[in-house]
Structures are given as C-alpha cells and as structure tokens.
Amino acid sequence: MKGQSAFVQRVHTPSFNLQSFSVVAHAAWARLVRWQMLHRQRQQLAALSDEMLKDIGRSRADVEAEVSRPFWDDPLRRR
C-alpha cells in the first residue's frame, strides 16, 4: 500500500512547469506581434494613393475591404 499512496500523490500533482509556461507565453507574444504587424500594414495600405494602388493591381474598394477587417483577422492563419 505504501507504493500506491506515492502513485496517487503524483497523479494529482499539477503538471505546471516553467517550460510549458514559456511556450505559451512565446506563442501569445508572437500572436500579439503578428496582430500589430497586420494593423500597421493595413494602415500603410490605406495611405497609398490611387495611382500606387493601380500599380499593384488594387482598387480603393479592395483597400477599404482590407482595412475594415479586425486586427486579429489574419489571412495567413490556418483554420
């Protein structure tokens, strides 16, 4: 019975460690940086002139649709 109590104690011990926290914190930081980058790129796109937009094959309507998206709406994120 002595061995069983040690087993039960280990099973109920929380599985928190610094490495798992570090992985979660890094992922959260990377997501925040990506959101900031998306916001900045959309603002830069909105600042382009109509002539510049024509050069890259986009219209003002395309830009308005892109700029109106929320910052967390990442077109490259896999769903």
Side-chain angles (χ1 to χ4, degrees), residues 45-46 48-50 53-54 57-69:
L45 184 63
L48 294 177
S49 68
D50 289 337
L53 292 174
K54 185 178 178 183
R58 296 291 174 212
S59 68
R60 184 59 56 189
D62 295 336
V63 171
E64 292 303 320
E66 184 63 30
V67 170
S68 67
R69 294 170 75 172

Side-chain angles (χ1 to χ4, degrees), residues 14-57:
S15 62
F16 174 80
N17 63 33
L18 193 55
Q19 185 177 7
S20 64
F21 175 76
S22 175
V23 169
V24 170
H26 179 71
W29 182 256
R31 176 83 42 100
L32 288 171
V33 168
R34 175 67 179 155
W35 286 346
Q36 182 183 27
M37 187 173 58
L38 282 171
H39 176 73
R40 186 174 37 246
Q41 288 174 352
R42 288 173 177 154
Q43 295 307 310
Q44 290 172 344
L45 184 63
L48 294 177
S49 68
D50 289 337
E51 292 80 24
M52 291 176 160
L53 292 174
K54 185 178 178 183
D55 287 344
I56 62 172

Side-chain angles (χ1 to χ4, degrees), residues 4-17:
Q4 289 178 350
S5 64
F7 175 74
V8 171
Q9 189 176 20
R10 271 188 253 135
V11 169
H12 294 341
T13 303
S15 62
F16 174 80
N17 63 33

